[in-house]
Amino acid sequence: MDVPTKEERTAIRESVRQLCRDFPDPYWREVDKKELYPHAFVDALTKSGYLAALIPEEYGGAGLGITEASIILEEINRAGGNSTACHAQMYIMGTLLRHGSEEQKRRYLPGIARGDLRLQAFAITEPNAGSETTRIETRAVRNGDRYIVNGQKIFISRVKQSDLMLLLARTTPYDELQDKTRGLSAFIVDLRNVKGKLEVQPLDLMINHHTNTVFLEDVEIPAENLIGEEGMGFRYIIDGWNAERILIAAESVGDGRWFIERASKYASERVVFGRPIGVNQGIQFPIAEAYAHIEAADLMRYEAAAKFDRREKCGAEANMAKYLASEAAWEAANVCLNTFGGYGFARDYDVERKFRETRLLTTAPVSNNLVLAFLGQNVLGMPRSY
Amino acid sequence: MKILVCVKQVPAKDSPLRLTEDSTWIRDADLSYETNEPDAFALEEALRLKEKHGGEVVVASVGPARVQQAIREALSKGADRAIHIDDDSGSKLDSFFTAQLIAEAVRSEAFDLVLTGLQSDDLGFAQSGVILAELLGLPHATIIMEVEVIDGRLKVKRELEGGWFQWVEMPLPSLLTIQSGINKPRYATLKGIKAAKTKEIRRVTPAELGVKPDEAAARNQLRRIYVPVKTKKTEFIEGPPKEAAAKLVEKLQREARVL
């Protein structure tokens, strides 16, 4: 892969910004209020090839790196949008790209790159497993040329808006395993043609994420849809975690910049007691402080992305970037809400919506406590805490 | 068809506009830039004509190194190559100078059609296009809302005042100034951005074209620019309610012009 030039990265940023201009605040406000999926936005993004940034050119994508992919998601959030509506496509692609067979890649990737196929659902979490992925219970049992799947998944977003779903299921019972990280397998489920019963129950959440509980009853998956080797699914998923953390960091930076921009503008314009509220250091300094934290987190994000793109180990940097950026975005969100005062709670100002959305990033797709646990244990060599 | 599109880079709409100390310009350091919106419509029209009739779309832009961003954007959207007339002489106020630079840069190429935006979002003179037509010896039409190429001739729809339109038939080659809203400009695609990297950008200077910035500077002089002063006035309307209401309605109609 050619390393894109600075000008190319600027061009990507500018082009996404331009596209986002056609989807201003009222668009996202309505999508959120009516709990709609932002189809028009996702279509525009897909048609212009942005969601296929990571797909190699030979499969119809742009063949770019995580740095460029992260710029795309950052700009969406920075423009006031919400890239969680489509970011999963970028994460999930990694599993298929790195571990899928040539036949699977040829079958799915060109369609995804063209925008004919949506791969945005990722079914891992279960009610009884949470962050302890190795304890998931959904079973996939091989029967001839297919697997029969039974179980339940929770917090599975965009199942109804996707054509394909990546599923992690147990192919060897937990008790029979010596290495507890084995025994799980990754599958591609074609949601357009499900054999068996796949029931999707929407969850009522504080964010507009189209998140569901998914019940699988005798769902048949052709054996050819198994990704890589049976029993290696957890390893494949972990492989995608660094990319996911870097992208989440970039989204957080985008959110943070949106909050800082809105807060500093409002603080400069809102006049109370005869002067703009921004002259008060109680207003001004928290905004400046949050800004500094966002910019610092952004440096770690680029460090992690650069290492990832050079195929170097980047677990520490990716985790730190995710932690620093999501915490900085949450700080900026609170600062922004404080600056807007009562108006911040009014939907018309969009602060409350972004506030809800950015809060998620400290919790999902991985809780920041688990990020700290990773750093404590794997980077600093302290005893395992869980 | 061989089509030339003239693209200008202008301060972004959301840029903070602060004046320089001598009040003769806005502070460049504060600005971010974007492609002039009417030019984006002109580019889109050119790309559509190329898709329909084949040929080539060439982009020309005048300005310092930063205008390459606008050029690259056009190349990312599908233009085939570009001409960058590298000029930072500060004679940006003179439409004749701009038109002269473009005319000299493209004179040796036989373009079938030249498109410009109707006007620029920053200065809004709407002159560069028509002067360029004159310098190149081409017929021109302005405020174009629709372009058709039929049997080697143009049929174009012009926007007039009061919701009226005018259809004009013209020969080729010609120059058209395109009105905003004529189409929906496409987004640059990721693949387009990558492809733009290998497309040709020919750089020329005013000196190479034999055009002298000093002459342009002598034609125009900007004395002062200023931010309009906002005033606020509260007026009490006295009298019985009926008369006061009538006076209020009159003021709203005639002075505030909101009714």
Side-chain angles (χ1 to χ4, degrees):
Chain A
M1 186 183 77
D2 294 344
V3 176
T5 58
K6 193 177 155 205
E7 286 75 25
E8 252 181 299
R9 285 181 180 156
T10 306
I12 292 171
R13 190 181 286 285
E14 287 297 327
S15 303
V16 178
R17 203 172 281 183
Q18 216 170 70
L19 188 152
C20 288
R21 264 188 222 130
D22 287 346
F23 300 89
D25 292 345
Y27 173 81
W28 291 102
R29 208 178 298 147
E30 182 171 309
V31 161
D32 179 69
K33 196 173 177 181
K34 296 184 177 167
E35 299 191 350
L36 305 172
Y37 183 75
H39 282 292
F41 174 73
V42 175
D43 282 348
L45 206 61
T46 311
K47 277 187 191 134
S48 306
Y50 292 104
L51 289 184
L54 294 169
I55 298 181
E57 285 177 300
E58 56 188 300
Y59 302 110
L64 294 167
I66 206 79
T67 307
E68 293 74 41
S70 78
I71 289 170
I72 294 166
L73 298 184
E74 177 200 333
E75 281 303 321
I76 296 170
N77 280 31
R78 186 185 181 167
N82 181 8
S83 55
T84 43
C86 50
H87 65 182
Q89 186 144 312
M90 288 190 178
Y91 309 162
I92 302 166
M93 211 98 75
T95 308
L96 185 57
L97 270 179
R98 279 189 300 272
H99 306 288
S101 67
E102 189 55 34
E103 190 277 324
Q104 285 169 336
K105 289 188 217 174
R106 298 238 166 258
R107 192 173 357 144
Y108 297 118
L109 292 177
I112 294 171
R114 280 196 305 274
D116 300 341
L117 281 177
R118 277 192 193 158
L119 169 60
Q120 293 181 4
F122 198 13
I124 297 181
T125 309
E126 296 186 4
N128 296 330
S131 296
E132 196 179 358
T133 306
T134 54
R135 298 300 295 233
I136 63 166
E137 293 164 355
T138 294
R139 279 284 275 143
V141 178
R142 179 130 192 182
N143 183 1
D145 63 351
R146 50 198 56 236
Y147 286 84
I148 310 296
V149 184
N150 283 283
Q152 182 185 347
K153 297 285 180 182
I154 194 163
F155 298 121
I156 312 306
S157 298
R158 299 166 297 275
V159 183
K160 289 185 173 175
Q161 289 78 26
S162 291
D163 302 302
L164 306 170
M165 175 175 81
L166 190 74
L167 171 79
L168 190 70
R170 177 166 299 290
T171 37
T172 308
Y174 189 79
D175 298 337
E176 292 174 19
L177 292 167
Q178 292 223 311
D179 178 351
K180 303 297 185 192
T181 63
R182 298 282 176 103
L184 302 178
S185 301
F187 300 93
I188 293 173
V189 181
D190 193 332
L191 295 166
R192 298 163 301 173
N193 181 25
V194 176
K195 285 189 178 152
K197 193 174 167 193
L198 190 140
E199 195 185 325
V200 181
Q201 280 183 8
L203 288 163
D204 198 7
L205 303 180
M206 68 183 258
I207 36 174
N208 178 32
H209 268 207
H210 308 275
T211 302
N212 311 280
T213 304
V214 178
F215 298 91
L216 302 111
E217 198 180 319
D218 292 333
V219 171
E220 290 185 18
I221 303 174
E224 66 199 33
N225 284 20
L226 171 74
I227 294 182
E229 276 179 60
E230 188 181 293
M232 294 298 288
F234 182 63
R235 183 56 43 200
Y236 301 158
I237 302 293
I238 285 182
D239 269 1
W241 280 354
N242 286 337
E244 182 186 81
R245 280 154 178 61
I246 294 167
L247 294 176
I248 289 288
E251 289 174 39
S252 303
V253 167
D255 275 347
R257 290 193 169 136
W258 185 92
F259 285 119
I260 298 297
E261 202 178 294
R262 296 288 166 122
S264 51
K265 187 165 184 282
Y266 189 78
S268 304
E269 289 171 356
R270 169 79 170 150
V271 175
V272 179
F273 299 115
R275 53 192 202 160
I277 58 172
V279 301
N280 301 306
Q281 293 176 346
I283 298 286
Q284 189 181 99
F285 285 7
I287 299 174
E289 198 173 10
Y291 172 69
H293 290 156
I294 289 286
E295 294 304 310
D298 195 38
L299 295 177
M300 184 59 83
R301 162 265 186 119
Y302 276 115
E303 174 70 5
K307 280 191 150 187
F308 186 98
D309 285 334
R310 291 196 301 263
R311 297 176 188 276
E312 293 171 17
K313 280 181 83 169
C314 64
E317 290 80 3
N319 275 282
M320 286 190 282
K322 191 272 179 188
Y323 175 82
L324 292 171
S326 62
E327 293 291 338
W330 179 231
E331 179 192 355
N334 280 283
V335 164
C336 188
L337 194 65
N338 287 340
T339 306
F340 274 74
Y343 291 104
F345 292 84
R347 282 197 155 162
D348 282 353
Y349 286 82
D350 299 290
V351 176
E352 64 82 33
R353 172 175 60 82
K354 293 286 282 181
F355 182 88
R356 284 183 280 117
E357 287 167 358
T358 211
R359 178 62 181 83
L360 178 75
L361 304 178
T362 60
T363 304
V366 60
S367 148
N368 276 357
N369 273 348
L370 278 174
V371 171
L372 294 177
F374 174 90
L375 295 175
Q377 181 193 325
N378 297 329
V379 180
L380 301 175
M382 291 189 280
R384 189 181 168 96
S385 59
Y386 58 96
Chain B
M1 286 179 85
K2 191 169 167 185
I3 308 171
L4 176 73
V5 185
C6 303
V7 170
K8 183 178 183 182
Q9 194 187 42
V10 295
K13 288 191 189 72
D14 53 2
S15 274
L17 297 182
R18 296 193 187 95
L19 302 183
T20 51
E21 278 184 18
D22 59 358
S23 287
T24 55
W25 198 240
I26 44 179
R27 264 167 45 182
D28 287 346
D30 293 341
L31 300 175
S32 57
Y33 290 89
E34 63 188 15
T35 299
N36 180 43
E37 197 177 46
D39 299 346
F41 288 101
L43 173 68
E44 178 62 34
E45 203 56 29
L47 294 172
R48 289 182 187 199
L49 287 169
K50 179 190 150 186
E51 280 159 7
K52 207 167 167 185
H53 303 285
E56 184 187 31
V57 173
V58 181
V59 171
S61 191
V62 179
R66 63 171 161 73
V67 307
Q68 290 220 357
Q69 192 185 323
I71 289 175
R72 286 192 189 284
E73 185 186 319
L75 294 173
S76 302
K77 289 184 175 180
D80 298 285
R81 61 185 169 91
I83 302 164
H84 173 205
I85 302 153
D86 197 344
D87 170 64
D88 200 10
S89 63
S91 302
K92 46 191 167 282
L93 282 175
D94 192 49
S95 303
F96 185 84
F97 177 60
T98 306
Q100 219 180 0
L101 287 172
I102 299 174
E104 295 313 318
V106 305
R107 197 177 288 285
S108 60
E109 298 199 48
F111 283 101
D112 299 307
L113 186 62
V114 180
L115 300 184
T116 70
L118 169 63
Q119 59 193 357
S120 57
D121 284 340
D122 54 356
L123 296 169
F125 293 152
Q127 288 295 301
S128 302
V130 292
I131 298 173
L132 176 61
E134 193 59 33
L135 292 174
L136 292 173
L138 299 175
H140 75 266
T142 54
I143 331 178
I144 300 302
M145 288 300 290
E146 211 171 313
V147 182
E148 286 178 39
V149 179
I150 306 166
D151 299 330
R153 285 180 63 82
L154 282 175
K155 191 179 169 198
V156 298
K157 183 180 171 184
R158 293 190 64 230
E159 188 182 66
L160 304 178
E161 294 288 326
W164 284 76
F165 294 97
Q166 177 187 40
W167 283 95
V168 180
E169 282 194 25
M170 302 172 70
L172 284 171
S174 279
L175 182 144
L176 306 173
T177 73
I178 302 292
Q179 171 68 306
S180 295
I182 182 175
N183 50 42
K184 186 175 184 323
R186 68 195 63 191
Y187 304 118
T189 65
L190 258 195
K191 282 187 186 174
I193 292 169
K194 285 190 81 173
K197 197 161 59 170
T198 54
K199 291 181 179 173
E200 178 200 326
I201 302 176
R202 179 163 70 91
R203 184 183 158 274
V204 288
T205 60
E208 287 163 359
L209 298 170
V211 180
K212 291 176 185 152
D214 297 354
E215 290 175 9
R219 276 193 293 268
N220 264 299
Q221 197 186 354
L222 181 68
R223 296 201 181 275
R224 187 170 78 93
I225 57 172
Y226 60 95
V227 178
V229 183
K230 278 186 193 169
T231 54
K232 200 168 153 185
K233 197 171 82 177
T234 307
E235 193 180 331
F236 289 96
I237 300 172
E238 309 283 349
K242 207 173 174 181
E243 280 175 31
K247 273 187 198 165
L248 176 64
V249 169
E250 192 188 331
K251 280 183 179 295
L252 290 175
Q253 278 174 336
R254 297 206 174 162
E255 290 175 26
R257 293 182 182 181
V258 293
L259 289 181

